[in-house]
Short mmCIF file of all heavy atoms in Angstrom, two decimals:
data_model
loop_
_atom_site.label_atom_id
_atom_site.label_comp_id
_atom_site.label_asym_id
_atom_site.label_seq_id
_atom_site.Cartn_x
_atom_site.Cartn_y
_atom_site.Cartn_z
N VAL M 42 -10.17 25.18 21.69
CA VAL M 42 -10.02 25.90 20.38
C VAL M 42 -8.56 25.86 19.93
O VAL M 42 -8.30 25.63 18.75
CB VAL M 42 -10.52 27.34 20.57
CG1 VAL M 42 -10.22 28.17 19.35
CG2 VAL M 42 -12.01 27.38 20.90
N ILE M 43 -7.63 26.08 20.83
CA ILE M 43 -6.21 26.03 20.43
C ILE M 43 -5.81 24.69 19.92
O ILE M 43 -5.20 24.58 18.85
CB ILE M 43 -5.35 26.49 21.60
CG1 ILE M 43 -5.57 27.97 21.92
CG2 ILE M 43 -3.87 26.25 21.29
CD1 ILE M 43 -4.92 28.48 23.15
N SER M 44 -6.23 23.61 20.63
CA SER M 44 -5.83 22.31 20.11
C SER M 44 -6.62 21.93 18.89
O SER M 44 -6.04 21.24 17.97
CB SER M 44 -6.06 21.24 21.22
OG SER M 44 -7.43 21.22 21.63
N GLY M 45 -7.83 22.36 18.71
CA GLY M 45 -8.58 22.13 17.50
C GLY M 45 -7.94 22.73 16.31
O GLY M 45 -7.81 22.14 15.23
N TYR M 46 -7.52 24.01 16.39
CA TYR M 46 -6.86 24.68 15.29
C TYR M 46 -5.50 24.09 15.05
O TYR M 46 -5.06 24.02 13.87
CB TYR M 46 -6.78 26.18 15.51
CG TYR M 46 -8.05 26.91 15.22
CD1 TYR M 46 -8.65 27.72 16.18
CD2 TYR M 46 -8.69 26.76 13.98
CE1 TYR M 46 -9.83 28.39 15.94
CE2 TYR M 46 -9.86 27.40 13.72
CZ TYR M 46 -10.45 28.17 14.71
OH TYR M 46 -11.64 28.85 14.43
N GLY M 47 -4.79 23.65 16.10
CA GLY M 47 -3.48 22.97 15.91
C GLY M 47 -3.62 21.70 15.13
O GLY M 47 -2.82 21.42 14.23
N LEU M 48 -4.62 20.91 15.48
CA LEU M 48 -4.89 19.67 14.75
C LEU M 48 -5.29 19.92 13.28
O LEU M 48 -4.99 19.14 12.43
CB LEU M 48 -5.95 18.83 15.46
CG LEU M 48 -5.48 18.11 16.73
CD1 LEU M 48 -6.65 17.39 17.42
CD2 LEU M 48 -4.33 17.16 16.51
N THR M 49 -6.06 21.00 13.09
CA THR M 49 -6.43 21.32 11.77
C THR M 49 -5.24 21.67 10.91
O THR M 49 -5.12 21.33 9.75
CB THR M 49 -7.42 22.51 11.71
OG1 THR M 49 -8.56 22.20 12.50
CG2 THR M 49 -7.83 22.92 10.32
N PHE M 50 -4.27 22.38 11.47
CA PHE M 50 -3.02 22.70 10.79
C PHE M 50 -2.22 21.45 10.50
O PHE M 50 -1.66 21.31 9.35
CB PHE M 50 -2.20 23.69 11.61
CG PHE M 50 -0.96 24.11 10.97
CD1 PHE M 50 -0.98 24.97 9.85
CD2 PHE M 50 0.29 23.69 11.42
CE1 PHE M 50 0.19 25.39 9.23
CE2 PHE M 50 1.44 24.04 10.80
CZ PHE M 50 1.40 24.88 9.72
N ILE M 51 -2.14 20.52 11.44
CA ILE M 51 -1.44 19.28 11.19
C ILE M 51 -2.08 18.51 10.06
O ILE M 51 -1.43 17.92 9.21
CB ILE M 51 -1.35 18.43 12.50
CG1 ILE M 51 -0.41 19.15 13.48
CG2 ILE M 51 -0.88 17.05 12.22
CD1 ILE M 51 -0.47 18.53 14.86
N SER M 52 -3.43 18.49 10.06
CA SER M 52 -4.19 17.82 9.04
C SER M 52 -3.88 18.43 7.66
O SER M 52 -3.73 17.71 6.64
CB SER M 52 -5.70 17.90 9.32
OG SER M 52 -6.42 17.40 8.22
N LEU M 53 -3.80 19.75 7.60
CA LEU M 53 -3.45 20.45 6.36
C LEU M 53 -2.07 20.02 5.86
O LEU M 53 -1.88 19.73 4.68
CB LEU M 53 -3.45 21.97 6.60
CG LEU M 53 -2.94 22.83 5.45
CD1 LEU M 53 -3.95 22.93 4.39
CD2 LEU M 53 -2.53 24.16 5.98
N LEU M 54 -1.12 19.88 6.76
CA LEU M 54 0.24 19.50 6.34
C LEU M 54 0.26 18.05 5.83
O LEU M 54 0.92 17.74 4.85
CB LEU M 54 1.20 19.62 7.54
CG LEU M 54 1.54 21.06 7.95
CD1 LEU M 54 2.44 21.03 9.19
CD2 LEU M 54 2.19 21.83 6.83
N LEU M 55 -0.46 17.17 6.55
CA LEU M 55 -0.51 15.77 6.08
C LEU M 55 -1.20 15.61 4.75
O LEU M 55 -0.78 14.80 3.92
CB LEU M 55 -1.21 14.89 7.15
CG LEU M 55 -0.48 14.72 8.46
CD1 LEU M 55 -1.30 13.89 9.41
CD2 LEU M 55 0.86 14.02 8.21
N THR M 56 -2.27 16.39 4.51
CA THR M 56 -2.93 16.33 3.22
C THR M 56 -1.99 16.82 2.13
O THR M 56 -1.97 16.22 1.06
CB THR M 56 -4.21 17.17 3.29
OG1 THR M 56 -5.06 16.69 4.31
CG2 THR M 56 -4.94 17.11 1.93
N THR M 57 -1.30 17.91 2.39
CA THR M 57 -0.36 18.42 1.39
C THR M 57 0.77 17.39 1.10
O THR M 57 1.11 17.23 -0.08
CB THR M 57 0.25 19.74 1.90
OG1 THR M 57 -0.78 20.63 2.23
CG2 THR M 57 1.16 20.35 0.85
N LEU M 58 1.25 16.73 2.11
CA LEU M 58 2.28 15.71 1.89
C LEU M 58 1.75 14.50 1.10
O LEU M 58 2.44 13.92 0.33
CB LEU M 58 2.89 15.20 3.16
CG LEU M 58 3.78 16.19 3.92
CD1 LEU M 58 4.16 15.66 5.30
CD2 LEU M 58 5.03 16.48 3.07
N SER M 59 0.49 14.19 1.32
CA SER M 59 -0.12 13.03 0.65
C SER M 59 -0.30 13.30 -0.87
O SER M 59 -0.36 12.38 -1.64
CB SER M 59 -1.43 12.62 1.26
OG SER M 59 -2.41 13.55 1.06
N TYR M 60 -0.45 14.57 -1.22
CA TYR M 60 -0.61 14.87 -2.61
C TYR M 60 0.66 14.53 -3.45
O TYR M 60 0.56 14.38 -4.66
CB TYR M 60 -0.89 16.38 -2.83
CG TYR M 60 -2.32 16.78 -2.77
CD1 TYR M 60 -2.77 17.60 -1.76
CD2 TYR M 60 -3.23 16.32 -3.69
CE1 TYR M 60 -4.10 17.99 -1.69
CE2 TYR M 60 -4.56 16.69 -3.63
CZ TYR M 60 -4.98 17.52 -2.64
OH TYR M 60 -6.29 17.83 -2.58
N ARG M 61 1.78 14.41 -2.81
CA ARG M 61 3.01 14.02 -3.52
C ARG M 61 2.93 12.64 -4.15
O ARG M 61 3.51 12.41 -5.19
CB ARG M 61 4.18 14.12 -2.61
CG ARG M 61 4.55 15.52 -2.21
CD ARG M 61 5.79 15.50 -1.36
NE ARG M 61 6.20 16.84 -1.01
CZ ARG M 61 7.24 17.14 -0.30
NH1 ARG M 61 8.01 16.15 0.20
NH2 ARG M 61 7.56 18.37 -0.07
N GLY M 62 2.23 11.69 -3.45
CA GLY M 62 2.26 10.35 -3.98
C GLY M 62 0.94 9.86 -4.52
O GLY M 62 0.85 8.67 -4.88
N LEU M 63 -0.08 10.74 -4.59
CA LEU M 63 -1.39 10.28 -5.08
C LEU M 63 -1.77 11.15 -6.28
O LEU M 63 -1.31 12.25 -6.46
CB LEU M 63 -2.43 10.47 -3.98
CG LEU M 63 -2.21 9.63 -2.71
CD1 LEU M 63 -3.24 10.01 -1.64
CD2 LEU M 63 -2.29 8.15 -3.02
N GLU M 64 -2.73 10.55 -7.03
CA GLU M 64 -3.25 11.33 -8.16
C GLU M 64 -4.27 12.35 -7.57
O GLU M 64 -4.99 12.05 -6.60
CB GLU M 64 -4.00 10.40 -9.10
CG GLU M 64 -3.11 9.41 -9.82
CD GLU M 64 -3.83 8.55 -10.75
OE1 GLU M 64 -4.97 8.86 -11.08
OE2 GLU M 64 -3.31 7.48 -11.13
#
Side-chain angles (χ1 to χ4, degrees):
V42 172
I43 292 172
S44 58
Y46 281 125
L48 287 176
T49 302
F50 182 72
I51 292 170
S52 173
L53 171 80
L54 291 177
L55 290 177
T56 301
T57 305
L58 288 174
S59 69
Y60 272 117
R61 290 182 177 181
L63 298 174
E64 294 181 18

